[in-house]
Amino acid sequence: MKEKGLTGFQLKIIGLLFMVFDHISEFFSFTGAIPLAFKWVGRIVAPIFIFMIVEGFTHTRSKKKYMLRLYIASVLMNIGNYLIPNYFQRTDSFALFNNIFATLFMITVYLCIIDFITKGIKEKNILRVLIGGLLFLLPIAISILFVINMENLIYLIFVIPSPLFVEGGPVFIGIGIIMYLLRGDKKKLLIAYIAICAAIMFTGEISIYSLFFNNYQWMMIFAAPLLYLYNGKKGKGMKYLFYLFYPAHIYVFYIISCYIMNK
């Protein structure tokens, strides 16, 4: 009997499809031929993968291995982002900073800290809760240190992801934390998620033009129906599909954009 709703695998495939549209816009918007709608549909991608990383972290048999895969992928992506532009250059000021792996890794770091603090609360261990609070603040302190001494510490960003510098920054990390805390109640999770998307509307000018042409990050809200349809099933395996497809399509698009721009 066919399962109702969407499996995790199907959600990821939808995310990958819309990711392609988003990155076509990112890398080829200079041609003037890419509709803005490609960016709109791309807003739902990060929330889908954040949701799935929370699910993966919750159900994985080894959190350490799960986090290690994300960390290694983030470091390799940083290395690729540094090396590839040395061999393929665009004629504009475009910089290759894409690395959602670092964001997802940082989310899992905070989820570990939350588990640490939660255990301390359950055990009424005040010291454990205090240590957890300090651990929660540590990545932020590292980010501030990077800001203060960027010139000397720039290369450490390659190997030490920080909340202020990862893709999506504190907003994406915060969404991941909220999804984790509310993972047992999909209704509350979706209400909180929709509220965050609505709040983003107020981070810029409130006008029809601005909401559709400038400040359109709020369109993440359209991921909510897809998250609602998630049936809790993993679906097909293909664990490494995202790990391979994400960097591959970004670097292919970047190199093609270099050739088009340098014609």
Side-chain angles (χ1 to χ4, degrees), residues 31-45:
T31 64
I34 310 299
L36 184 61
F38 280 31
K39 294 297 286 184
W40 294 345
V41 299
R43 297 314 90 205
I44 75 168
V45 176

Side-chain angles (χ1 to χ4, degrees), residues 4-213:
K4 292 183 178 180
L6 297 170
T7 66
F9 176 76
Q10 290 168 333
L11 266 180
K12 289 176 184 178
I13 292 299
I14 292 170
L16 290 176
L17 175 63
F18 286 125
M19 180 190 293
V20 170
F21 283 100
D22 187 36
H23 289 145
I24 286 174
S25 177
E26 178 183 355
F27 289 99
F28 301 104
S29 59
F30 69 89
T31 64
I34 310 299
L36 184 61
F38 280 31
K39 294 297 286 184
W40 294 345
V41 299
R43 297 314 90 205
I44 75 168
V45 176
I48 288 175
F49 283 103
I50 291 171
F51 179 80
M52 291 313 304
I53 218 69
V54 168
E55 281 293 301
F57 180 85
T58 301
H59 298 294
T60 185
R61 285 175 290 183
S62 174
K63 288 180 170 57
K64 289 181 180 179
K65 289 181 180 178
Y66 192 75
M67 294 176 68
L68 182 62
R69 283 197 301 270
L70 286 170
Y71 175 72
I72 292 173
S74 73
V75 172
L76 292 176
M77 193 86 190
N78 279 335
I79 293 171
N81 290 348
Y82 175 76
L83 292 177
I84 289 178
N86 286 329
Y87 297 96
F88 303 93
Q89 290 91 31
R90 290 175 43 139
T91 57
D92 58 2
S93 58
F94 183 90
L96 199 54
F97 288 125
N98 305 70
N99 192 349
I100 197 66
F101 292 130
T103 307
L104 300 179
F105 171 72
M106 278 307 310
I107 289 172
T108 61
V109 168
Y110 274 105
L111 301 190
C112 276
I113 296 171
I114 288 170
D115 284 348
F116 186 86
I117 294 173
T118 301
K119 186 175 180 181
I121 293 172
K122 287 180 178 178
E123 296 175 351
K124 297 181 180 180
N125 187 330
I126 296 176
L127 179 60
R128 187 183 184 95
V129 174
L130 290 175
I131 292 173
L134 291 174
L135 289 174
F136 199 91
L137 295 174
L138 181 60
I140 300 171
I142 292 173
S143 294
I144 294 172
L145 184 62
F146 283 156
V147 171
I148 293 172
N149 199 10
M150 178 66 76
E151 186 176 341
N152 295 321
L153 301 177
I154 185 67
Y155 291 106
L156 284 180
I157 296 177
F158 279 63
V159 293
I160 305 178
S162 62
L164 297 184
F165 293 99
V166 297
E167 192 172 339
V171 173
F172 284 1
I173 294 171
I175 289 173
I177 291 172
I178 290 171
M179 285 181 171
Y180 187 64
L181 293 174
L182 299 177
R183 66 192 183 279
D185 190 328
K186 186 182 283 189
K187 183 178 179 181
K188 288 182 180 178
L189 185 155
L190 290 173
I191 290 172
Y193 174 71
I194 290 169
I196 292 170
C197 296
I200 289 173
M201 289 185 180
F202 297 95
T203 59
E205 180 188 343
I206 304 299
S207 69
I208 297 298
Y209 180 86
S210 177
L211 289 175
F212 283 88
F213 293 92

